[in-house]
Amino acid sequence: SSLCKEGKIPGAVRIGRAYAVPRSWAEDIAAFNAATVTIKEATELAGVSRTAIIQAAHEGRLEKIGSRIARDSLNQYIEKRSEKYNGKS
């Protein structure tokens, strides 16, 4: 992988044509991916446009981490939209 070639994964070792990465790095990536969603996934889950997700992140209504959206903030955003459009304050 390019990350391994560029030395961005500490402890990665080349074995033949492939790389072995430390288990802790793989677990950290899995945890990050479980706690976040892509912008595309956020649009599908919230039922809004990509522009709406990006604007909400820009305004601070969604927490953006790198190019992803924090799942907790997305759940709160969806809940608030649901309350707003279902007549609850």
Side-chain angles (χ1 to χ4, degrees), residues 27-57:
E27 290 169 348
D28 290 347
I29 293 298
F32 176 75
N33 287 339
T36 61
V37 294
T38 65
I39 291 175
K40 181 179 179 183
E41 290 169 329
T43 63
E44 293 168 358
L45 291 168
V48 298
S49 69
R50 176 181 173 82
T51 302
I53 293 294
I54 292 170
Q55 183 176 3

Side-chain angles (χ1 to χ4, degrees), residues 32 36-37 39 50 53-54 56-58 60-70 73:
F32 176 75
T36 61
V37 294
I39 291 175
R50 176 181 173 82
I53 293 294
I54 292 170
H58 179 73
R61 293 181 286 137
L62 286 172
E63 180 184 358
K64 191 171 180 199
I65 304 171
S67 62
R68 297 175 68 93
I69 302 294
S73 72

